[in-house]
Amino acid sequence: MKTSFLYSLIFSSLILLSTYLSSGLIPMVVSIIMIAKRKLIFLVEILISIISYFILFYTHRLDLYIFTIRALVFINLYFILSGIVDKSTILDLFGEKGVPIVVALAYYPYFYQLSTEVAFYARARKIGFNIIKLSKPIIVELIRVAENLYIAYSVKLFGKYSGKKNYRPNKEDLFLVGIGVITLCLSLTLHFPWVI
C-alpha cells in the first residue's frame, strides 16, 4: 500500500489529535496494529506498554501513563509513514525543500534492512551475540550513507523543481484517512478513565 504524503499527513494529524483529546489508548492500539507485520517492533512495544503500565500502577503514578502512550504513537507514526508514503509525492508537494523529509522517511527502512542483513550473516557464520562485531558494519554503513548525503547536498545544483502536483486521493489515501477519522471518533466516544 502506497499513499500520498498529503493524505498521510492528514491521517497523522487525526491520530495525533485523537491522542491529545482522549486517553490515547485507541490511537496507540490502532498504530500498533498497523505495524504488526514488523513482529519484533510489535512485541517490544506491547512489552513496553505493559511494563510501563504496571510500574506506574504500583508506584501510584498512573497519570503519567499517557506519556508512554503518546511516545509509542509518535514512534509508530514514523514507522507507518516510512513504510507507506510514496516518496515522490513529497517532492510533488514541497519541491526540493522536501528532500530532507524523503531522507528522514527512507532512513528507517534502510537501517532495518541493513540490520536484518547483518543479523542473517551473523547467524550464517555462527557468530554469537557480540555487540562489537554486529555493530561495526552497521556503523560503517551509516557513516558512509551520511557522507554521501552530505556530498550530494553540498554539490546539489539549486533550481526550480517542476514536478506534477496531483492532489486527488486514490483508494489507499481514502482508506488511510478513513482509519484516522474512525480512530478520532472512537477516541472521543469511548473513555478509559482508568488510564488517566
Side-chain angles (χ1 to χ4, degrees):
M1 174 167 106
K2 285 294 180 187
T3 61
S4 166
F5 185 66
L6 176 64
Y7 294 98
S8 299
L9 279 180
I10 294 170
F11 162 75
S12 302
S13 301
L14 290 169
I15 296 292
L16 292 175
L17 186 64
S18 62
T19 303
Y20 281 102
L21 294 178
S22 68
S23 63
L25 191 64
I26 292 174
M28 183 185 76
V29 170
V30 169
S31 66
I32 285 178
I33 289 171
M34 289 183 76
I35 62 159
K37 67 179 181 179
R38 296 174 177 146
K39 292 180 178 75
L40 182 62
I41 296 171
F42 177 78
L43 292 174
V44 167
E45 289 194 0
I46 295 291
L47 278 173
I48 287 171
S49 61
I50 292 171
I51 291 170
S52 175
Y53 180 80
F54 283 116
I55 289 172
L56 293 171
F57 178 77
Y58 285 115
T59 57
H60 305 290
R61 295 306 313 250
L62 206 50
D63 54 325
L64 297 177
Y65 187 62
I66 195 164
F67 295 109
T68 302
I69 290 173
R70 287 178 182 166
L72 290 175
V73 169
F74 293 152
I75 292 167
N76 290 343
L77 282 177
Y78 173 72
F79 291 150
I80 291 166
L81 293 183
S82 67
I84 65 171
V85 169
D86 182 7
K87 310 298 187 290
S88 65
T89 60
I90 300 172
L91 296 176
D92 292 342
L93 192 61
F94 295 114
E96 71 177 32
K97 292 177 184 160
V99 171
I101 300 171
V102 172
V103 170
L105 289 178
Y107 211 73
Y108 164 71
Y110 177 73
F111 177 74
Y112 182 75
Q113 175 191 358
L114 181 65
S115 301
T116 53
E117 286 178 10
V118 168
F120 171 77
Y121 288 121
R123 279 194 304 273
R125 293 186 176 127
K126 296 185 174 28
I127 297 173
F129 185 73
N130 185 338
I131 194 73
I132 295 173
K133 281 188 178 179
L134 293 177
S135 63
K136 270 184 191 174
I138 294 172
I139 291 171
V140 167
E141 186 64 19
L142 291 179
I143 290 172
R144 187 185 69 78
V145 168
E147 286 177 348
N148 288 343
L149 288 173
Y150 175 74
I151 291 168
Y153 188 77
S154 299
V155 301
K156 181 172 71 170
L157 298 174
F158 291 94
K160 293 196 174 198
Y161 175 78
S162 59
K164 60 178 172 84
K165 299 203 183 293
N166 183 11
Y167 299 118
R168 197 165 43 167
N170 58 26
K171 285 187 286 187
E172 288 87 4
D173 295 334
L174 294 176
F175 179 70
L176 193 66
V177 171
I179 290 173
V181 170
I182 291 169
T183 304
L184 180 61
C185 293
L186 287 175
S187 297
L188 294 176
T189 55
L190 300 175
H191 299 287
F192 298 97
W194 51 273
V195 175
I196 295 181

